[in-house]
Amino acid sequence: MFSNTAKYAIKACLFLAVNSSEVNKLVIKDIAEPINVPSAYIAKILQALSKKDIISSTRGPKGGFYLTKNQFQTNVMQIIEAVDGEERLNSCLLSLEKCNSDNPCSLHHLVYEEKHKINERLKRTTLEDLRQHIMRGESILPL
Amino acid sequence: MFSNTAKYAIKACLFLAVNSSEVNKLVIKDIAEPINVPSAYIAKILQALSKKDIISSTRGPKGGFYLTKNQFQTNVMQIIEAVDGEERLNSCLLSLEKCNSDNPCSLHHLVYEEKHKINERLKRTTLEDLRQHIMRGESILPL
DNA sequence: TCTTAAATATGATTTTTATCATAAAATATC
DNA sequence: GATATTTTATGATAAAAATCATATTTAAGA
Ligand code: FES
Ligand code: FES
């Protein structure tokens, strides 16, 4: 469903949401290890997220990655789109084109409604929401 | 969501369901062109499907691909799994492991129910069902 | 201002997926 | 049985995704 890159990006953001703050920045290694992603790879992903302003960073000693108040309100869909691009989630199940309800392919009606629901939820759910779920023990941050 | 290979496989099967029969076999070129897939590529996919007994074939003159009565009852999930393997549809959204309701990841509850519904429908829907939808004009077979 | 610790930019390598190409095997028909 | 037509087996190439590596830039602190 998502690319590895998107999975890693979400995990990293979530890890930041749970473990970092403006006064407690995290360095690449401290992110890569606990979420179990090769550090050179997550470094590249974090750079991309930072450039798109989904996470924040400062370099030099005492630097690292963190989220600002605003960035806790980023929703999951934004993270996915930042790394995977928009088409992936909206492409038709049969063709290589965009899904199109006016010209529904043979599988369209089997999945459209549910897919739409999922997408809406991904858009509505913020890092802050997910952080709270984790704090309450309702879900885990997988390795 | 699905690989190109899976998309092509479904389109090809569907095309066979609509246009072929045991007495009206279709040759690779007659499948590749209308569904707009490179013919050397669809050839390989058809070979795999044939080996897994999802479609039938005979070689030599008057040969080609077709579906038997039974094969009209193949469901969409079977086609996908035949080419993509099983993991792809059942992997967790965040980890590289299987989705696991006992140890739900942070996105699990956002999508599980809908994903499950979609999977059930893919399992319940046969080529014959889809053929009928197409015949009734309820859906199209995209290029 | 020098050193050191960090991100950033950039690009190389590996693996997977997609695509292309072709010789070999099978079968109908003459 | 020879020929032509088809799938099948096999592998080569190309493109994309994943992963690894490193020199450069920035900023803190001594
Ligand atoms: S048109 Fe194919 S999934 Fe919507
Ligand atoms: S555990 Fe991650 S999607 Fe179910």
Side-chain angles (χ1 to χ4, degrees):
Chain A
M1 191 157 186
F2 307 150
S3 67
N4 283 5
T5 302
K7 292 181 179 188
Y8 296 165
I10 297 170
K11 283 211 285 185
C13 287
L14 220 38
F15 188 78
L16 284 174
V18 172
N19 297 291
S20 85
S21 68
E22 303 210 25
V23 299
N24 180 28
K25 296 164 191 161
L26 292 183
V27 102
I28 286 175
K29 211 167 122 199
D30 295 338
I31 302 171
E33 250 170 44
I35 67 175
N36 199 32
V37 175
S39 81
Y41 192 15
I42 199 67
K44 205 164 205 174
I45 296 172
L46 291 171
Q47 284 171 33
L49 291 172
S50 177
K51 198 180 258 180
K52 302 221 173 179
D53 207 40
I54 287 181
I55 64 178
S56 303
S57 64
T58 57
R59 16 188 182 183
K62 297 277 168 185
F65 294 94
Y66 62 97
L67 300 181
T68 63
K69 210 92 192 163
N70 277 344
Q71 289 170 335
F72 275 91
Q73 298 310 314
T74 303
N75 67 58
V76 182
M77 183 64 90
Q78 289 176 302
I79 299 171
I80 296 168
E81 290 184 347
V83 296
D84 270 2
E86 201 240 337
E87 335 73 48
R88 190 176 185 122
L89 278 174
N90 298 117
S91 75
C92 166
L93 292 184
L94 288 191
S95 79
L96 303 175
E97 311 292 321
K98 264 218 169 77
C99 168
N100 174 1
S101 290
D102 292 337
N103 231 30
C105 76
S106 297
L107 300 186
H108 184 88
H109 62 290
L110 292 182
V111 309
Y112 187 71
E113 203 178 319
E114 277 74 26
K115 236 179 133 213
H116 185 71
K117 259 190 219 162
I118 289 177
N119 282 0
E120 285 306 307
R121 278 205 204 130
L122 292 175
K123 278 182 203 154
R124 225 189 348 257
T125 305
T126 66
L127 288 175
E128 174 59 19
D129 296 332
L130 294 178
R131 190 185 70 79
Q132 289 182 11
H133 292 165
I134 291 174
M135 300 313 270
R136 287 197 230 106
E138 295 169 11
S139 65
I140 59 148
L141 194 51
L143 291 190
Chain B
M1 194 158 184
F2 305 150
S3 66
N4 282 6
T5 302
K7 291 182 179 189
Y8 295 164
I10 297 170
K11 283 210 286 185
C13 288
L14 220 38
F15 189 78
L16 284 175
V18 172
N19 297 290
S20 85
S21 69
E22 302 209 25
V23 299
N24 180 28
K25 297 165 190 161
L26 293 183
V27 101
I28 286 174
K29 210 166 122 198
D30 294 338
I31 302 171
E33 249 169 44
I35 66 175
N36 199 32
V37 175
S39 82
Y41 192 15
I42 198 67
K44 205 164 205 174
I45 296 171
L46 291 172
Q47 284 171 33
L49 291 172
S50 177
K51 197 180 262 181
K52 302 222 173 181
D53 206 40
I54 287 180
I55 65 178
S56 303
S57 63
T58 55
R59 15 187 184 184
K62 297 278 168 183
F65 295 93
Y66 62 99
L67 301 181
T68 62
K69 211 92 191 161
N70 278 344
Q71 290 170 334
F72 274 91
Q73 298 311 314
T74 304
N75 66 58
V76 181
M77 183 65 89
Q78 289 176 302
I79 300 172
I80 297 168
E81 289 183 347
V83 296
D84 270 2
E86 201 240 337
E87 336 73 45
R88 189 174 185 124
L89 278 175
N90 297 118
S91 74
C92 165
L93 292 183
L94 286 191
S95 79
L96 303 175
E97 312 292 321
K98 264 219 170 76
C99 169
N100 173 3
S101 290
D102 293 335
N103 230 32
C105 78
S106 298
L107 299 186
H108 184 87
H109 63 289
L110 292 182
V111 309
Y112 186 71
E113 203 178 319
E114 276 75 24
K115 235 179 134 212
H116 184 71
K117 258 191 221 165
I118 289 177
N119 282 0
E120 284 307 307
R121 277 204 205 133
L122 292 175
K123 278 181 204 155
R124 223 188 350 257
T125 306
T126 66
L127 288 174
E128 174 60 21
D129 295 332
L130 294 177
R131 190 186 68 79
Q132 288 182 12
H133 293 164
I134 292 173
M135 300 314 272
R136 287 197 230 104
E138 295 168 11
S139 64
I140 60 148
L141 194 52
L143 291 191

Short mmCIF file of all heavy atoms in Angstrom, two decimals, chain B residues 2-3 5-6 11 37 41 60 71-72 109 121 128 130 133 143:
data_model
loop_
_atom_site.label_atom_id
_atom_site.label_comp_id
_atom_site.label_asym_id
_atom_site.label_seq_id
_atom_site.Cartn_x
_atom_site.Cartn_y
_atom_site.Cartn_z
N PHE B 2 -1.78 -2.12 -5.97
CA PHE B 2 -1.31 -3.34 -6.64
C PHE B 2 -0.10 -3.00 -7.51
O PHE B 2 0.09 -1.85 -7.90
CB PHE B 2 -2.39 -3.94 -7.55
CG PHE B 2 -3.69 -4.19 -6.86
CD1 PHE B 2 -4.89 -4.13 -7.57
CD2 PHE B 2 -3.75 -4.51 -5.52
CE1 PHE B 2 -6.10 -4.36 -6.95
CE2 PHE B 2 -4.96 -4.75 -4.89
CZ PHE B 2 -6.14 -4.67 -5.61
N SER B 3 0.67 -4.01 -7.83
CA SER B 3 1.77 -3.80 -8.76
C SER B 3 1.21 -3.69 -10.17
O SER B 3 0.08 -4.10 -10.44
CB SER B 3 2.73 -4.98 -8.69
OG SER B 3 2.07 -6.14 -9.18
N THR B 5 2.12 -5.46 -12.55
CA THR B 5 1.92 -6.84 -12.96
C THR B 5 0.53 -7.34 -12.55
O THR B 5 -0.17 -7.97 -13.34
CB THR B 5 3.01 -7.73 -12.33
OG1 THR B 5 4.28 -7.25 -12.75
CG2 THR B 5 2.86 -9.17 -12.78
N ALA B 6 0.13 -7.02 -11.33
CA ALA B 6 -1.20 -7.47 -10.87
C ALA B 6 -2.31 -6.78 -11.67
O ALA B 6 -3.28 -7.41 -12.09
CB ALA B 6 -1.35 -7.19 -9.39
N LYS B 11 -6.55 -7.29 -15.73
CA LYS B 11 -7.11 -6.82 -17.00
C LYS B 11 -7.13 -7.95 -18.03
O LYS B 11 -8.12 -8.13 -18.75
CB LYS B 11 -6.29 -5.65 -17.55
CG LYS B 11 -6.56 -4.34 -16.86
CD LYS B 11 -6.36 -3.15 -17.79
CE LYS B 11 -4.92 -2.84 -18.07
NZ LYS B 11 -4.78 -1.60 -18.89
N VAL B 37 -1.15 -3.26 -23.06
CA VAL B 37 0.00 -3.71 -22.28
C VAL B 37 1.03 -4.28 -23.27
O VAL B 37 0.64 -4.99 -24.20
CB VAL B 37 -0.41 -4.82 -21.29
CG1 VAL B 37 0.80 -5.40 -20.57
CG2 VAL B 37 -1.42 -4.30 -20.28
N TYR B 41 5.48 -8.42 -22.37
CA TYR B 41 5.27 -8.40 -20.92
C TYR B 41 4.02 -9.20 -20.55
O TYR B 41 4.05 -10.06 -19.65
CB TYR B 41 5.13 -6.95 -20.46
CG TYR B 41 5.18 -6.74 -18.97
CD1 TYR B 41 5.64 -7.73 -18.12
CD2 TYR B 41 4.78 -5.54 -18.41
CE1 TYR B 41 5.71 -7.53 -16.75
CE2 TYR B 41 4.84 -5.33 -17.04
CZ TYR B 41 5.30 -6.33 -16.23
OH TYR B 41 5.35 -6.11 -14.87
N GLY B 60 0.43 -24.02 -30.55
CA GLY B 60 0.27 -24.40 -31.93
C GLY B 60 -0.85 -23.64 -32.60
O GLY B 60 -1.54 -22.84 -31.97
N GLN B 71 -12.76 -21.76 -14.47
CA GLN B 71 -11.89 -20.59 -14.30
C GLN B 71 -12.66 -19.27 -14.29
O GLN B 71 -12.14 -18.26 -13.85
CB GLN B 71 -10.80 -20.61 -15.38
CG GLN B 71 -9.81 -21.74 -15.12
CD GLN B 71 -8.85 -21.96 -16.25
OE1 GLN B 71 -9.16 -21.67 -17.41
NE2 GLN B 71 -7.68 -22.51 -15.94
N PHE B 72 -13.89 -19.31 -14.75
CA PHE B 72 -14.73 -18.12 -14.62
C PHE B 72 -15.04 -17.85 -13.15
O PHE B 72 -15.46 -16.77 -12.79
CB PHE B 72 -16.04 -18.28 -15.40
CG PHE B 72 -15.91 -17.89 -16.84
CD1 PHE B 72 -15.57 -18.83 -17.80
CD2 PHE B 72 -16.12 -16.58 -17.23
CE1 PHE B 72 -15.46 -18.47 -19.13
CE2 PHE B 72 -16.00 -16.22 -18.56
CZ PHE B 72 -15.66 -17.17 -19.52
N HIS B 109 -5.84 0.85 13.47
CA HIS B 109 -7.28 1.07 13.70
C HIS B 109 -7.87 2.08 12.72
O HIS B 109 -9.06 2.16 12.55
CB HIS B 109 -7.53 1.50 15.14
CG HIS B 109 -6.89 2.80 15.49
ND1 HIS B 109 -5.51 2.93 15.63
CD2 HIS B 109 -7.39 4.03 15.69
CE1 HIS B 109 -5.22 4.18 15.91
NE2 HIS B 109 -6.34 4.87 15.95
N ARG B 121 -14.21 -8.52 -0.24
CA ARG B 121 -14.89 -8.35 -1.54
C ARG B 121 -14.05 -8.88 -2.68
O ARG B 121 -14.58 -9.47 -3.61
CB ARG B 121 -15.16 -6.87 -1.78
CG ARG B 121 -16.40 -6.48 -1.09
CD ARG B 121 -17.04 -5.28 -1.71
NE ARG B 121 -17.82 -4.69 -0.63
CZ ARG B 121 -17.82 -3.42 -0.31
NH1 ARG B 121 -17.12 -2.57 -1.03
NH2 ARG B 121 -18.53 -3.01 0.68
N GLU B 128 -16.55 -14.05 -13.41
CA GLU B 128 -17.91 -14.09 -13.96
C GLU B 128 -18.71 -12.89 -13.48
O GLU B 128 -19.41 -12.24 -14.26
CB GLU B 128 -18.59 -15.41 -13.56
CG GLU B 128 -20.05 -15.53 -13.93
CD GLU B 128 -20.31 -15.42 -15.43
OE1 GLU B 128 -19.36 -15.65 -16.23
OE2 GLU B 128 -21.46 -15.09 -15.82
N LEU B 130 -17.59 -9.98 -12.59
CA LEU B 130 -17.09 -8.77 -13.24
C LEU B 130 -17.51 -8.72 -14.70
O LEU B 130 -17.83 -7.66 -15.24
CB LEU B 130 -15.57 -8.69 -13.12
CG LEU B 130 -15.06 -8.51 -11.69
CD1 LEU B 130 -13.54 -8.52 -11.66
CD2 LEU B 130 -15.59 -7.21 -11.08
N HIS B 133 -20.93 -7.38 -14.84
CA HIS B 133 -20.96 -5.93 -14.66
C HIS B 133 -20.63 -5.21 -15.95
O HIS B 133 -21.27 -4.24 -16.33
CB HIS B 133 -19.95 -5.49 -13.59
CG HIS B 133 -20.29 -5.95 -12.22
ND1 HIS B 133 -19.36 -5.95 -11.19
CD2 HIS B 133 -21.42 -6.45 -11.69
CE1 HIS B 133 -19.93 -6.42 -10.10
NE2 HIS B 133 -21.18 -6.74 -10.37
N LEU B 143 -8.22 0.93 -20.69
CA LEU B 143 -7.06 0.69 -21.55
C LEU B 143 -5.77 0.69 -20.72
O LEU B 143 -5.69 1.32 -19.70
CB LEU B 143 -6.97 1.80 -22.60
CG LEU B 143 -8.06 1.78 -23.63
CD1 LEU B 143 -7.74 2.74 -24.76
CD2 LEU B 143 -8.22 0.37 -24.20
#
